Amino acid sequence: MRNGIEHETSGAPRYRLWYPLAGLVVALVFLLVALQGAEPASATGDAAPAPRIVGGSDVPNGRYAFVAALRDTRYGSTAHAQQFCGGALIDHDSVLTAAHCVTGSSTAPLLVTVGRTVLSSSQGQTRGVSRIFVHPNYRGNAYDAAVVKLANPVSVIAPIKLARASQDSLEASGHYATVAGWGNTIAQPANGDAGQNYPDRMREVRVPLVSDLRAKQVYGGEFVSSLMVAAGQTGKDTCQGDSGGPMFAATAGKYRQIGITSFGYGCGAAGYPGVYTEVNHSSIRNFITNAASK
Ligand code: ARG
Protein backbone atom coordinates (compact mmCIF):
# COMPACT_ATOMS: atom_id res chain seq x y z
CA MET A 1 0.00 0.00 0.00
CA ARG A 2 2.78 2.35 0.88
CA ASN A 3 4.33 1.68 -2.52
CA GLY A 4 1.10 2.62 -4.23
CA ILE A 5 0.96 5.99 -2.51
CA GLU A 6 4.56 6.79 -3.34
CA HIS A 7 3.87 5.91 -6.93
CA GLU A 8 0.84 8.18 -7.20
CA THR A 9 2.56 11.20 -5.65
CA SER A 10 5.95 10.93 -7.36
CA GLY A 11 5.51 14.18 -9.27
CA ALA A 12 5.62 13.72 -13.01
CA PRO A 13 5.08 17.22 -14.55
CA ARG A 14 1.65 16.50 -16.02
CA TYR A 15 0.26 15.83 -12.54
CA ARG A 16 1.18 19.34 -11.40
CA LEU A 17 -2.29 20.76 -12.05
CA TRP A 18 -3.60 18.33 -9.46
CA TYR A 19 -1.08 19.33 -6.87
CA PRO A 20 -3.58 21.21 -4.64
CA LEU A 21 -5.71 18.04 -4.52
CA ALA A 22 -2.81 15.75 -3.75
CA GLY A 23 -3.03 16.29 0.00
CA LEU A 24 -6.69 15.36 -0.02
CA VAL A 25 -6.06 12.27 -2.15
CA VAL A 26 -3.27 11.12 0.14
CA ALA A 27 -5.51 11.68 3.18
CA LEU A 28 -8.30 9.63 1.55
CA VAL A 29 -5.92 6.80 0.68
CA PHE A 30 -4.65 6.72 4.26
CA LEU A 31 -8.21 6.67 5.53
CA LEU A 32 -9.07 3.70 3.27
CA VAL A 33 -5.93 1.83 4.31
CA ALA A 34 -6.77 2.45 7.98
CA LEU A 35 -10.34 1.22 7.52
CA GLN A 36 -9.22 -1.91 5.69
CA GLY A 37 -6.60 -2.60 8.33
CA ALA A 38 -9.18 -2.22 11.07
CA GLU A 39 -11.59 -4.77 9.62
CA PRO A 40 -9.57 -7.97 10.10
CA ALA A 41 -8.37 -6.73 13.48
CA SER A 42 -11.91 -6.50 14.83
CA ALA A 43 -12.96 -9.77 13.16
CA THR A 44 -10.17 -11.66 14.92
CA GLY A 45 -10.37 -9.68 18.14
CA ASP A 46 -12.83 -10.01 20.99
CA ALA A 47 -15.81 -11.76 19.34
CA ALA A 48 -14.28 -14.49 17.16
CA PRO A 49 -10.97 -16.12 18.05
CA ALA A 50 -8.26 -16.25 15.37
CA PRO A 51 -8.87 -19.14 13.00
CA ARG A 52 -7.02 -22.28 14.19
CA ILE A 53 -7.83 -26.14 14.42
CA VAL A 54 -11.00 -24.21 15.11
CA GLY A 55 -10.34 -21.68 17.83
CA GLY A 56 -6.98 -23.04 18.99
CA SER A 57 -3.31 -22.25 18.60
CA ASP A 58 -0.08 -23.34 16.91
CA VAL A 59 1.70 -26.38 18.32
CA PRO A 60 5.42 -25.74 18.93
CA ASN A 61 7.86 -28.08 17.16
CA GLY A 62 8.12 -31.48 18.82
CA ARG A 63 5.08 -31.24 21.09
CA TYR A 64 2.64 -34.18 20.79
CA ALA A 65 5.09 -36.27 18.76
CA PHE A 66 2.61 -39.18 19.11
CA VAL A 67 0.11 -37.39 16.86
CA ALA A 68 0.22 -39.04 13.43
CA ALA A 69 -0.48 -37.59 10.01
CA LEU A 70 -2.23 -40.15 7.83
CA ARG A 71 -1.29 -39.57 4.22
CA ASP A 72 -2.45 -40.92 0.88
CA THR A 73 0.14 -40.55 -1.88
CA ARG A 74 -2.63 -40.38 -4.49
CA TYR A 75 -3.70 -36.97 -3.17
CA GLY A 76 -0.55 -35.14 -4.28
CA SER A 77 3.20 -34.98 -3.95
CA THR A 78 3.55 -32.99 -0.72
CA ALA A 79 2.77 -34.16 2.81
CA HIS A 80 0.35 -31.24 3.11
CA ALA A 81 -1.59 -32.36 0.03
CA GLN A 82 -1.48 -36.01 1.13
CA GLN A 83 -2.62 -35.58 4.74
CA PHE A 84 -6.26 -36.63 5.10
CA CYS A 85 -6.71 -37.76 8.72
CA GLY A 86 -4.99 -37.84 12.06
CA GLY A 87 -3.98 -40.72 14.28
CA ALA A 88 -2.12 -41.53 17.47
CA LEU A 89 0.96 -43.69 17.96
CA ILE A 90 -0.05 -46.25 20.61
CA ASP A 91 3.03 -48.50 20.41
CA HIS A 92 6.16 -48.55 18.26
CA ASP A 93 4.33 -49.88 15.20
CA SER A 94 0.60 -49.21 15.74
CA VAL A 95 -1.44 -46.09 15.06
CA LEU A 96 -4.97 -45.64 16.34
CA THR A 97 -7.31 -43.73 14.03
CA ALA A 98 -10.98 -43.51 13.04
CA ALA A 99 -12.55 -46.35 11.06
CA HIS A 100 -14.06 -43.84 8.64
CA CYS A 101 -10.53 -42.70 7.72
CA VAL A 102 -9.28 -46.06 6.48
CA THR A 103 -12.21 -48.43 6.00
CA GLY A 104 -12.12 -50.10 2.59
CA SER A 105 -8.81 -48.53 1.70
CA SER A 106 -5.80 -50.50 0.55
CA THR A 107 -2.52 -50.21 2.39
CA ALA A 108 -0.41 -49.46 -0.68
CA PRO A 109 -0.91 -45.69 -1.09
CA LEU A 110 -0.85 -44.93 2.64
CA LEU A 111 1.92 -43.30 4.64
CA VAL A 112 1.99 -42.49 8.33
CA THR A 113 4.20 -39.72 9.71
CA VAL A 114 4.77 -39.25 13.44
CA GLY A 115 6.95 -36.75 15.25
CA ARG A 116 6.23 -34.05 12.70
CA THR A 117 4.68 -30.73 13.62
CA VAL A 118 5.01 -28.90 10.30
CA LEU A 119 3.78 -31.03 7.42
CA SER A 120 6.07 -29.44 4.83
CA SER A 121 9.17 -30.07 6.98
CA SER A 122 11.26 -33.23 7.15
CA GLN A 123 10.60 -33.69 10.88
CA GLY A 124 9.80 -37.08 12.37
CA GLN A 125 9.53 -40.57 10.93
CA THR A 126 7.45 -41.78 8.00
CA ARG A 127 6.36 -45.38 7.52
CA GLY A 128 4.31 -47.40 5.09
CA VAL A 129 1.28 -49.35 6.26
CA SER A 130 1.29 -53.16 6.39
CA ARG A 131 -2.24 -53.90 7.72
CA ILE A 132 -5.45 -52.10 8.58
CA PHE A 133 -7.83 -53.34 11.30
CA VAL A 134 -11.29 -51.76 11.43
CA HIS A 135 -13.54 -52.39 14.45
CA PRO A 136 -15.83 -55.29 13.45
CA ASN A 137 -18.92 -53.43 14.69
CA TYR A 138 -18.15 -50.20 12.83
CA ARG A 139 -21.40 -48.97 11.29
CA GLY A 140 -22.65 -45.43 10.70
CA ASN A 141 -20.89 -43.36 13.33
CA ALA A 142 -20.63 -46.16 15.90
CA TYR A 143 -17.37 -47.98 16.74
CA ASP A 144 -15.43 -45.48 14.64
CA ALA A 145 -12.03 -46.98 15.50
CA ALA A 146 -9.26 -48.59 13.47
CA VAL A 147 -5.67 -49.64 14.04
CA VAL A 148 -3.08 -49.19 11.31
CA LYS A 149 0.05 -51.33 11.55
CA LEU A 150 3.27 -49.71 10.36
CA ALA A 151 5.52 -51.57 7.93
CA ASN A 152 8.46 -50.88 10.26
CA PRO A 153 8.49 -49.68 13.86
CA VAL A 154 9.40 -46.10 14.72
CA SER A 155 12.04 -45.32 17.32
CA VAL A 156 12.40 -42.85 20.16
CA ILE A 157 8.93 -41.30 19.96
CA ALA A 158 6.92 -42.12 23.08
CA PRO A 159 3.49 -43.58 22.28
CA ILE A 160 0.40 -42.20 24.02
CA LYS A 161 -1.32 -44.38 26.60
CA LEU A 162 -4.99 -45.28 26.32
CA ALA A 163 -7.37 -44.18 29.05
CA ARG A 164 -8.24 -47.15 31.25
CA ALA A 165 -11.78 -48.21 32.06
CA SER A 166 -11.23 -46.93 35.59
CA GLN A 167 -10.41 -43.48 34.24
CA ASP A 168 -13.95 -42.40 33.41
CA SER A 169 -13.34 -39.28 35.47
CA LEU A 170 -11.11 -38.06 32.63
CA GLU A 171 -14.25 -37.65 30.59
CA ALA A 172 -16.50 -36.15 33.25
CA SER A 173 -18.42 -33.23 31.80
CA GLY A 174 -16.77 -29.93 32.55
CA HIS A 175 -13.27 -31.43 32.46
CA TYR A 176 -11.03 -30.26 29.67
CA ALA A 177 -9.17 -32.31 27.09
CA THR A 178 -6.83 -31.41 24.24
CA VAL A 179 -7.37 -32.15 20.56
CA ALA A 180 -4.73 -31.59 17.90
CA GLY A 181 -4.34 -31.95 14.16
CA TRP A 182 -4.02 -30.38 10.74
CA GLY A 183 -7.74 -30.10 10.01
CA ASN A 184 -9.71 -27.16 8.68
CA THR A 185 -9.27 -24.06 10.82
CA ILE A 186 -12.42 -22.28 9.67
CA ALA A 187 -15.50 -22.69 11.84
CA GLN A 188 -18.42 -24.24 9.96
CA PRO A 189 -22.15 -23.77 10.53
CA ALA A 190 -24.16 -26.90 11.35
CA ASN A 191 -25.44 -26.91 7.76
CA GLY A 192 -23.32 -25.31 5.10
CA ASP A 193 -19.79 -24.51 4.06
CA ALA A 194 -17.83 -21.52 5.35
CA GLY A 195 -14.64 -22.31 3.41
CA GLN A 196 -11.40 -24.11 4.06
CA ASN A 197 -7.94 -23.46 5.40
CA TYR A 198 -5.72 -26.47 6.00
CA PRO A 199 -2.71 -25.41 8.09
CA ASP A 200 0.85 -26.62 7.54
CA ARG A 201 1.62 -26.52 11.27
CA MET A 202 -0.28 -28.68 13.74
CA ARG A 203 -2.90 -26.85 15.83
CA GLU A 204 -4.32 -27.68 19.21
CA VAL A 205 -7.28 -26.55 21.25
CA ARG A 206 -8.61 -27.36 24.71
CA VAL A 207 -12.22 -28.43 24.68
CA PRO A 208 -14.65 -28.91 27.58
CA LEU A 209 -16.23 -32.35 27.79
CA VAL A 210 -19.98 -32.26 27.32
CA SER A 211 -22.43 -34.49 29.19
CA ASP A 212 -23.92 -37.51 27.42
CA LEU A 213 -27.35 -36.06 28.14
CA ARG A 214 -26.61 -32.88 26.23
CA ALA A 215 -24.94 -34.74 23.39
CA LYS A 216 -28.05 -36.92 23.05
CA GLN A 217 -30.26 -33.84 22.98
CA VAL A 218 -28.15 -32.50 20.14
CA TYR A 219 -27.45 -35.62 18.10
CA GLY A 220 -30.32 -37.94 19.08
CA GLY A 221 -29.86 -41.54 18.01
CA GLU A 222 -26.59 -40.71 16.27
CA PHE A 223 -24.99 -40.30 19.67
CA VAL A 224 -24.50 -43.57 21.56
CA SER A 225 -23.51 -42.65 25.11
CA SER A 226 -21.58 -45.82 25.92
CA LEU A 227 -19.50 -45.62 22.74
CA MET A 228 -18.94 -41.89 22.36
CA VAL A 229 -17.93 -38.79 24.23
CA ALA A 230 -18.75 -35.24 23.14
CA ALA A 231 -16.59 -32.18 23.66
CA GLY A 232 -16.28 -28.61 22.47
CA GLN A 233 -17.83 -25.21 22.75
CA THR A 234 -18.79 -22.48 20.32
CA GLY A 235 -15.73 -21.73 18.23
CA LYS A 236 -13.57 -24.50 19.74
CA ASP A 237 -13.68 -27.84 17.99
CA THR A 238 -12.01 -30.30 15.68
CA CYS A 239 -12.96 -30.14 12.00
CA GLN A 240 -12.57 -31.97 8.69
CA GLY A 241 -9.06 -33.40 8.45
CA ASP A 242 -8.70 -33.82 12.23
CA SER A 243 -10.61 -37.10 12.21
CA GLY A 244 -8.78 -40.06 13.61
CA GLY A 245 -6.60 -37.83 15.79
CA PRO A 246 -6.55 -38.16 19.55
CA MET A 247 -8.44 -36.33 22.27
CA PHE A 248 -6.28 -36.58 25.37
CA ALA A 249 -5.62 -35.27 28.85
CA ALA A 250 -2.66 -35.40 31.19
CA THR A 251 -2.87 -37.41 34.41
CA ALA A 252 0.14 -37.73 36.69
CA GLY A 253 2.30 -36.15 34.02
CA LYS A 254 1.32 -38.67 31.35
CA TYR A 255 -0.98 -38.14 28.42
CA ARG A 256 -3.94 -40.50 28.24
CA GLN A 257 -6.02 -40.81 25.10
CA ILE A 258 -9.73 -40.44 25.84
CA GLY A 259 -11.23 -40.25 22.37
CA ILE A 260 -10.76 -40.51 18.62
CA THR A 261 -12.01 -37.55 16.54
CA SER A 262 -15.10 -38.86 14.78
CA PHE A 263 -17.89 -36.51 13.70
CA GLY A 264 -19.94 -33.40 14.33
CA TYR A 265 -22.42 -31.08 12.64
CA GLY A 266 -20.37 -28.19 11.33
CA CYS A 267 -17.27 -27.26 13.29
CA GLY A 268 -17.40 -25.07 16.36
CA ALA A 269 -21.06 -24.33 15.62
CA ALA A 270 -23.02 -23.09 18.63
CA GLY A 271 -24.79 -25.99 20.35
CA TYR A 272 -22.99 -28.71 18.36
CA PRO A 273 -20.01 -30.24 20.18
CA GLY A 274 -17.66 -32.59 18.37
CA VAL A 275 -18.13 -36.33 18.90
CA TYR A 276 -15.27 -38.71 19.74
CA THR A 277 -15.07 -42.49 19.84
CA GLU A 278 -14.77 -43.53 23.50
CA VAL A 279 -11.45 -45.31 23.86
CA ASN A 280 -12.17 -46.89 27.23
CA HIS A 281 -15.40 -48.65 26.20
CA SER A 282 -14.53 -52.31 26.79
CA SER A 283 -15.24 -53.59 23.27
CA ILE A 284 -13.35 -50.69 21.69
CA ARG A 285 -10.39 -50.92 24.04
CA ASN A 286 -10.17 -54.70 23.60
CA PHE A 287 -10.29 -54.31 19.83
CA ILE A 288 -7.50 -51.73 19.96
CA THR A 289 -5.13 -53.71 22.17
CA ASN A 290 -5.81 -56.92 20.25
CA ALA A 291 -5.23 -55.34 16.81
CA ALA A 292 -2.11 -53.56 18.05
CA SER A 293 -0.64 -56.86 19.24
CA LYS A 294 -0.80 -58.42 15.76
N1 ARG B 1 -15.36 -36.32 10.28
C1 ARG B 1 -14.37 -35.30 10.23
C2 ARG B 1 -13.14 -35.80 9.50
O1 ARG B 1 -13.23 -36.77 8.79
C3 ARG B 1 -14.04 -34.74 11.58
C4 ARG B 1 -15.25 -34.23 12.21
C5 ARG B 1 -15.01 -33.51 13.43
N2 ARG B 1 -16.05 -32.52 13.46
C6 ARG B 1 -16.36 -31.82 14.50
N3 ARG B 1 -17.28 -30.90 14.39
N4 ARG B 1 -15.78 -32.03 15.64
O2 ARG B 1 -12.09 -35.19 9.51
Side-chain angles (χ1 to χ4, degrees), residues 98-104 134-146 262:
H100 81 260
C101 288
V102 291
T103 188
V134 171
H135 195 291
N137 298 135
Y138 169 57
R139 194 177 321 124
N141 290 319
Y143 297 95
D144 193 6
S262 181

Side-chain angles (χ1 to χ4, degrees), residues 84-86 98 100-101 144 183 219 231 237-244 261-269 272-276:
F84 65 95
C85 266
H100 81 260
C101 288
D144 193 6
Y219 289 110
D237 197 2
T238 44
C239 200
Q240 266 52 48
D242 291 319
S243 273
T261 302
S262 181
F263 73 97
Y265 290 178
C267 301
Y272 293 92
V275 183
Y276 300 80

Side-chain angles (χ1 to χ4, degrees), residues 100-184:
H100 81 260
C101 288
V102 291
T103 188
S105 105
S106 70
T107 55
L110 300 186
L111 292 175
V112 175
T113 302
V114 290
R116 182 174 296 183
T117 316
V118 175
L119 288 174
S120 65
S121 76
S122 59
Q123 299 159 344
Q125 300 169 52
T126 298
R127 296 292 183 266
V129 169
S130 58
R131 298 169 84 183
I132 296 170
F133 297 97
V134 171
H135 195 291
N137 298 135
Y138 169 57
R139 194 177 321 124
N141 290 319
Y143 297 95
D144 193 6
V147 172
V148 160
K149 296 294 294 183
L150 306 183
N152 294 291
V154 296
S155 55
V156 183
I157 297 170
I160 190 169
K161 295 177 181 315
L162 303 180
R164 288 189 299 258
S166 62
Q167 290 177 310
D168 264 335
S169 67
L170 283 178
E171 42 195 75
S173 78
H175 280 217
Y176 276 77
T178 298
V179 288
W182 296 270
N184 195 1

Side-chain angles (χ1 to χ4, degrees), residues 75-88:
Y75 296 163
S77 56
T78 65
H80 183 267
Q82 293 169 351
Q83 188 274 337
F84 65 95
C85 266

Side-chain angles (χ1 to χ4, degrees), residues 18-103:
W18 296 98
Y19 198 73
L21 285 177
L24 186 60
V25 169
V26 168
L28 274 172
V29 169
F30 271 110
L31 185 65
L32 283 171
V33 169
L35 283 173
Q36 280 188 328
E39 203 176 324
S42 71
T44 56
D46 24 291
R52 303 293 150 112
I53 191 176
V54 168
S57 54
D58 279 350
V59 171
N61 286 344
R63 186 187 284 177
Y64 311 139
F66 52 82
V67 173
L70 265 59
R71 301 159 52 183
D72 188 317
T73 53
R74 294 170 299 185
Y75 296 163
S77 56
T78 65
H80 183 267
Q82 293 169 351
Q83 188 274 337
F84 65 95
C85 266
L89 187 73
I90 54 168
D91 65 37
H92 67 331
D93 65 353
S94 306
V95 165
L96 178 59
T97 187
H100 81 260
C101 288
V102 291
T103 188

